[in-house]
């Protein structure tokens, strides 16, 4: 297990190197002089030069990259041009709402998808199964931002039962916090609900075909017990993978939903940074989200290795 | 009643005649063809101007003069949605063509040199570790939002996936007998790449390219919606959604019409993609998870090992 962990983690090093170069070049390719952006259009030339020196902008590119990466490794992602705080602090402040939204979305997706997928496998080929297939297709062809706008029209404009946009903290005001998060979670979660439903249906079907299910059936185990106690439990592995991957992609996929619903999360931080040309924040957020994604991905891989020892030997996960 | 469905279709059959038997493919092409035709012909025919401002008729619901209503500047929504269609389709065409040609070149070259292969594939891994939407957003924000920068950014986003796919296919082809025969005869590397590898990569590429076309349309809409895509007042579906969101209580039809346009286009492209995939590789049609599902999911998910069909 230890060598497996090392090997999986080691494979990430070249990936991280390339990611760091890409993220660094975002700041370097950006138009305009950072010192001039910080000081504003009416700054004196001498002041700008002084700031350029202290920001290290007069050094060679190579040196600046090494400087940036060694800072980043220590958790220092630079200082925002506009927020008057380190980028890492800004990310910390905005991470809470994003995580709340992501957790709520996953819960919604699971509550919908596990029963639906299992039952679709139970009544394979029936009208119910066809209906589920239709639902998953709709869930997958509607881009989440289109879906969220349609949900806003239906629930906030026509039915007037949910707020259009906004955010309340879930812990200090659970009732209103939930009211504000329902629509974002619905619009983001539907695509995952559709995906997980497909995974659940496929893997339950796989298990139902196996011989021990036949054996249990011939012993007289009831069909429902067979489905939930035998099939669903053993179909868990692909489902866990799917949940892990979904959660990881949710954190970055929430960018659009957050800006539609004015949720002060990582996505809003990113969109505001783009509007204000705040490149350190832009770089920091891209790096942070990519790292989170790669980290969670690694975690899923390792979990796989723990649950299924065969994976450790071949080294790759059959997805 | 279904006696004739079991008739064996002889031999290879023309690609065209096989395509004609594929309802998904035909239906998808009809949808996209109609949209493209409407975007080219209708604005001139009906004298629609997507930029003409009419402040007296702001946010008017659909009427005879304005079949889809007007937006927050009093511009005709039908004209803007049609013009948005040509923005989306031309952007998607440019991105797809550039990304495909670059990706094929990189992928084939990588399959011919071990050292180059390592370097290129690690770069691809790194680029694909950043979620597509996030990378596109960061790149357009850095380059500055305009049409050609959008093309460059999206090409950077999509080339790694194509390169990986082409490389995997090219590596598999290199051990085929006909390529070994060409090597034995003394054909040059360039000759093998152009005459033997390239034509055989095209079938896999065709499927991939359709999905990239659809993804480009969705990403463009998302980027414009976030203010990092086609800059206003130029018409684009994302810009219409952005304006529509601000006026969502007064004029929900703005969002509804623009969303419908996006969903119909994506559905049409999905049908083409799935149809093409059945045509290229009939076995894959039986898979439970259609390609498009994975592709759309991949927009927000980093694409570590996706796109390789080995």
């Amino acid at each position: 297990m230890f060598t497996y962990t090392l090997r999986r983690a080691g494979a990430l090093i070249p990936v991280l190197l390339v990611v760091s170069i890409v993220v660094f070049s975002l700041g370097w390719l950006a138009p305009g002089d950072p010192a001039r952006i910080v000081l504003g259009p009416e700054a004196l030339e001498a002041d700008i030069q002084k700031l350029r020196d202290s920001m290290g902008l007069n050094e060679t590119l190579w040196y600046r990259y090494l400087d940036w990466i060694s800072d980043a490794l220590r958790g220092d992602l630079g200082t925002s041009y506009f927020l008057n705080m380190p980028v890492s602090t800004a990310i910390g402040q905005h991470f809470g709402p994003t995580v709340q939204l992501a957790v709520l979305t996953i819960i919604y997706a699971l509550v919908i998808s596990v029963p639906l997928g299992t039952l679709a496998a139970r009544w394979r080929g029936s009208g119910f199964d066809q209906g589920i297939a239709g639902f998953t297709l709709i869930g997958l062809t509607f881009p989440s931002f289109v879906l969220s706008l349609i949900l806003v029209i239906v629930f906030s404009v026509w039915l007037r039962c949910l707020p259009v946009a906004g955010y309340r903290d879930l812990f200090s005001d659970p009732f209103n916090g939930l009211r504000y998060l329902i629509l974002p979670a619905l619009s983001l979660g539907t695509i995952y609900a559709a995906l997980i439903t497909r995974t659940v249906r496929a893997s339950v079907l796989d298990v139902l075909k196996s011989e021990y299910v036949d054996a249990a059936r011939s012993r007289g185990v009831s069909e429902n017990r067979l489905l939930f106690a035998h099939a669903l439990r053993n179909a868990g592995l692909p489902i866990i993978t799917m949940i892990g991957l979904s959660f990881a992609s949710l954190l970055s996929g929430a960018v659009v939903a957050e800006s539609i619903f004015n949720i002060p999360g990582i996505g809003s931080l990113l969109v505001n940074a783009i509007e204000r040309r705040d490149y350190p924040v832009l770089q920091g957020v891209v790096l942070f989200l990519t790292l989170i994604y790669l980290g969670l991905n690694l975690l899923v891989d390792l979990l796989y290795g723990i649950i299924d020892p065969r994976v450790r030997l071949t080294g790759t996960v059959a997805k | 009643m279904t006696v004739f469905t079991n008739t064996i279709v002889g031999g290879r059959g023309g690609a065209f005649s096989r395509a004609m038997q594929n309802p998904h493919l035909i239906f998808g092409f009809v949808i996209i063809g109609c949209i493209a035709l409407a975007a080219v012909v209708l604005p001139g025919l009906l004298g629609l101007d997507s930029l003409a401002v009419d402040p007296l008729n702001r946010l008017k619901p659909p009427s005879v003069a304005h079949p889809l209503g007007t937006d927050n500047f009093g511009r005709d929504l039908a004209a803007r949605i049609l013009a948005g269609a040509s923005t989306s389709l031309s952007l998607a065409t440019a991105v797809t063509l550039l990304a495909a040609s670059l990706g094929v070149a990189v992928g084939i070259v990588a399959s011919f040199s071990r050292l180059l292969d390592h370097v290129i594939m690690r770069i691809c891994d790194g680029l694909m570790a950043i979620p597509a939407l996030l990378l596109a957003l960061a790149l357009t924000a850095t380059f500055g939002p305009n049409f050609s920068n959008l093309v460059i950014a999206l090409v950077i986003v999509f080339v790694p996936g194509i390169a990986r796919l082409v490389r995997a296919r090219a590596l598999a082809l290199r051990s085929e007998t006909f390529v070994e025969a060409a090597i034995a005869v003394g054909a040059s590397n360039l000759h093998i790449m152009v005459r033997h590898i390239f034509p055989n990569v095209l079938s896999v590429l065709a499927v991939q390219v359709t999905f990239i076309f659809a993804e480009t349309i969705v990403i463009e809409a998302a980027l414009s919606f976030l203010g990092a895509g086609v800059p206003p007042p130029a018409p684009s579906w994302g810009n219409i959604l952005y304006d529509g969101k601000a006026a969502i209580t007064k004029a929900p039809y703005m969002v509804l019409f623009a969303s419908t346009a996006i969903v119909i286009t994506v559905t049409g492209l999905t049908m083409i993609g799935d149809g093409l995939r059945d045509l290229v590789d009939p076995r894959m049609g039986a898979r439970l998870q259609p390609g498009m599902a994975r592709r759309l999911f991949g927009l927000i998910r980093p694409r570590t090992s996706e796109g390789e069909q080995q």
Side-chain angles (χ1 to χ4, degrees), chain A residues 14-15 18-19 26 30-31 140 145-146 149 152-153 192 195 198 201-202 249 252-253 259-260 270 274 277 279 290 293 297, chain B residues 122 126-127 129 131 134 137-138 141-142 221-222 225-226 241 245 248 252 255 259 288-290 293 296-297 300-302 304:
Chain A
V15 172
V18 176
V19 169
L26 287 179
L140 291 167
F145 57 96
V146 169
L149 290 173
V152 167
I153 290 178
Y192 297 102
L195 271 165
R198 273 173 197 271
R201 180 181 175 279
S249 68
S252 58
S259 94
I260 291 177
L270 180 68
I274 288 172
R277 308 242 156 270
Y279 289 102
T290 309
Y293 179 77
N297 224 355
Chain B
R122 291 298 84 72
L127 281 173
L134 204 58
L137 196 59
T142 306
F225 185 75
L226 293 175
L241 284 179
K245 195 228 158 187
I248 200 160
V255 167
S259 308
L288 274 166
Q289 198 164 17
L296 285 177
F297 182 51
I300 36 180
R301 175 173 80 85
T304 315

Side-chain angles (χ1 to χ4, degrees), chain A residues 156-224:
Chain A
S156 309
V157 180
W158 290 346
L159 300 177
R160 294 174 185 282
C161 57
L162 290 169
V164 175
Y167 175 77
R168 299 281 181 280
D169 188 53
L170 206 50
F171 296 109
S172 52
D173 185 3
F175 176 69
N176 276 319
L178 213 56
R179 267 167 48 93
Y180 278 99
L181 280 180
I182 285 179
L183 285 186
L186 278 183
S187 58
L188 266 177
T190 303
I191 185 169
Y192 297 102
L195 271 165
I196 300 174
T197 305
R198 273 173 197 271
T199 317
V200 170
R201 180 181 175 279
S203 35
V204 168
L205 270 182
D206 255 11
V207 178
L208 283 180
K209 270 185 243 153
S210 60
E211 285 175 357
Y212 70 87
V213 171
D214 283 343
R217 190 176 281 133
S218 62
R219 278 206 314 275
V221 177
S222 80
E223 200 65 22
N224 281 332

Side-chain angles (χ1 to χ4, degrees), chain A residues 81-152:
Chain A
Y81 293 161
F82 290 94
L83 299 174
N84 267 330
M85 62 169 94
V87 174
S88 42
T89 317
I91 290 178
Q93 282 180 2
H94 289 82
F95 197 45
T98 303
V99 174
Q100 286 179 8
L101 175 59
V103 170
L104 208 65
T105 305
I106 284 291
I107 292 176
Y108 154 70
L110 284 180
V111 166
I112 294 276
S113 61
V114 172
L116 286 187
T118 318
L119 291 176
R122 165 92 161 78
W123 297 308
R124 187 186 186 185
S126 67
F128 181 77
D129 192 19
Q130 303 271 325
I132 295 297
F135 159 72
T136 51
L137 195 68
I138 290 175
L140 291 167
T141 36
F142 275 70
S144 74
F145 57 96
V146 169
L147 192 62
S148 34
L149 290 173
I150 292 174
L151 286 176
V152 167

Side-chain angles (χ1 to χ4, degrees), chain A residues 263-276:
Chain A
I263 298 168
I266 295 277
S268 302
L269 181 67
L270 180 68
V271 173
N272 289 334
I274 288 172
E275 269 165 21
R276 292 187 289 214

